[in-house]
Amino acid sequence: MIVITGGAGFIGSNIVAGLEKRGCKDVVVADTLGRSDKWKNIAKRELAAIVPPEETLNFLRFHEKEIKCVIHMGAISSTTEVNCDLIVATNFGLSWALWEYCRDLGKRFIYASSAATYGSGKRGFEDREDLPYLNGLRPLNPYGWSKALFDRKIARETAEKRGTPPQHAGLKFFNVYGPNEYHKEAQKSVVAHVFSQVREGYEARLFKSCNPAYEDGRQLRDFVWVGDCVEVVLWLLDNPDVSGLFNVGSGQPRSFYDLAEAVFTSLELEPRIGYKDMPEELKDKYQYYTKADIGKLRAAGFLKETTSLENGVAEYVKAYLTQEDMYA
């Protein structure tokens, strides 16, 4: 049995789909569905159970003999959330409780970290696990800080040999896009936002730059297709001896202009791209450049090529966003 927290969310539901395609039948989703269409993310899946987050630990203890691995994707993932108590309770407290469970009972543990831990990127984007480096990172928002806090906790536990799960892998996801993100609303990928604007007959609207080193729309991010993220998780399940902290991205920084242009190309339309002022609350929390150094993941044995921005956007638009059924 594999338990996926946040399994009805964006990345989590794509992992569930990936496991089902492999023939894995004992998959448990721990998540809230609420009143939105989030339930559609898992509507096609065969599931062993759906568990409320607050019951996750009780479920794990009751089924401890059946559990093989906990894939922890659940989090308060909004970069604009300001309730720090809620963020810490979910992104740190629950993560630590799951780590302790997996450590004490010998279960494998794969969890989501984030590229938001790198902050502005002044110290680079290396998925190092030494405490001096991790302690020197300065995330730009509470979400990024909470993810960095857990990475640092695990690095300390490992360095001081306090005991670990038999496999423990933290995945620093960069700017992920793809199907099943629709419930995220304002936090959806720029691909989804641009597609909505174009479908409604408007030009694509990107943020103006407040950094003289970058022209409007030329801010650079490492955009990664969600299918590539799933492949990394499946590879880890196939390689139980691999542990550590790993960047998960394309390894290629691309501009928001490139991304918007790819959406128009996928729709066989001429690009119409304009610019809007960046909200004041984002100006001092904005990443102008990210690039996943994926050398460590390659060295560990993950050799599958990443999906290019053009191919990923084309698949997203043609196979999902323009279809009546947009869900993976």
Side-chain angles (χ1 to χ4, degrees):
M1 182 180 290
I2 296 176
V3 176
I4 305 176
T5 72
F10 172 31
I11 299 176
S13 64
N14 278 277
I15 294 172
V16 173
L19 288 169
E20 184 175 277
K21 288 177 183 177
R22 283 191 156 202
C24 185
K25 296 180 180 179
D26 291 326
V27 176
V28 174
V29 165
D31 209 338
T32 55
L33 300 178
R35 299 175 182 273
S36 70
D37 283 344
K38 186 178 175 181
W39 66 272
K40 293 182 179 180
N41 289 348
I42 53 173
K44 301 174 186 177
R45 309 280 76 85
E46 292 290 338
L47 300 171
I50 301 175
V51 181
E54 63 272 17
E55 293 296 324
T56 301
L57 289 169
N58 287 334
F59 180 90
L60 291 173
R61 294 182 185 112
F62 187 79
H63 294 275
E64 66 179 59
K65 292 182 180 179
E66 305 160 66
I67 302 297
K68 173 184 177 183
C69 180
V70 175
I71 301 176
H72 181 38
M73 298 289 118
I76 302 297
S77 59
S78 173
T79 57
T80 57
E81 176 61 60
V82 294
N83 185 338
C84 292
D85 293 322
L86 177 63
I87 291 172
V88 169
T90 303
N91 296 2
F92 184 79
L94 177 58
S95 299
W96 177 243
L98 292 172
W99 168 277
E100 287 188 306
Y101 170 86
C102 291
R103 178 197 64 198
D104 295 344
L105 294 175
K107 309 299 182 182
R108 298 161 67 182
F109 184 60
I110 299 170
Y111 74 92
S113 181
S114 172
T117 59
Y118 292 117
S120 67
K122 289 181 179 179
R123 290 179 61 86
F125 299 92
E126 301 175 66
D127 42 7
R128 290 163 51 181
E129 298 171 57
D130 57 288
L131 279 167
Y133 177 77
L134 291 174
N135 289 338
L137 297 177
R138 294 292 178 266
L140 300 174
N141 51 56
Y143 163 73
W145 166 70
S146 69
K147 289 293 188 178
L149 185 65
F150 188 66
D151 289 343
R152 289 157 60 189
K153 174 70 170 173
I154 299 314
R156 188 177 304 108
E157 292 292 307
T158 304
E160 297 179 1
K161 303 185 186 312
R162 297 182 185 176
T164 66
Q167 180 185 33
H168 51 96
L171 303 178
K172 291 199 171 195
F173 294 116
F174 278 65
N175 287 77
V176 187
Y177 65 94
N180 295 10
E181 61 172 330
Y182 319 117
H183 65 285
K184 292 167 66 80
E185 298 182 345
Q187 295 292 314
K188 289 185 298 187
S189 72
V190 177
V191 180
H193 284 295
V194 167
F195 175 81
S196 296
Q197 293 164 359
V198 175
R199 180 183 55 187
E200 293 169 9
Y202 299 106
E203 66 178 6
R205 300 280 284 174
L206 305 176
F207 283 145
K208 293 179 180 178
S209 174
C210 298
N211 185 330
Y214 298 88
E215 296 179 13
D216 293 342
R218 266 63 180 188
Q219 305 95 320
L220 297 170
R221 295 285 178 87
D222 190 322
F223 301 106
V224 56
W225 172 240
V226 70
D228 293 344
C229 301
V230 174
E231 289 294 335
V232 172
V233 173
L234 297 180
W235 175 79
L236 283 166
L237 289 175
D238 289 339
N239 293 272
D241 294 333
V242 176
S243 292
L245 191 60
F246 299 100
N247 285 333
V248 179
S250 70
Q252 298 293 326
R254 300 292 298 275
S255 71
F256 285 99
Y257 186 94
D258 290 340
L259 182 148
E261 187 175 48
V263 174
F264 280 99
T265 299
S266 298
L267 292 168
E268 300 181 354
L269 297 172
E270 287 295 317
R272 293 192 300 127
I273 301 173
Y275 304 96
K276 59 185 178 181
D277 291 332
M278 187 180 296
E280 286 294 328
E281 62 269 20
L282 289 183
K283 287 183 179 179
D284 61 348
K285 302 175 182 177
Y286 190 82
Q287 289 177 307
Y288 279 85
Y289 176 92
T290 65
K291 178 186 176 182
D293 180 345
I294 56 176
K296 186 176 172 186
L297 189 62
R298 295 291 190 224
F302 182 79
L303 304 179
K304 185 177 177 62
E305 290 297 317
T306 57
T307 305
S308 71
L309 178 66
E310 287 74 16
N311 288 343
V313 170
E315 182 170 354
Y316 191 13
V317 170
K318 294 177 181 180
Y320 298 98
L321 291 175
T322 56
Q323 301 303 307
E324 183 177 353
D325 181 358
M326 301 187 298
Y327 294 85

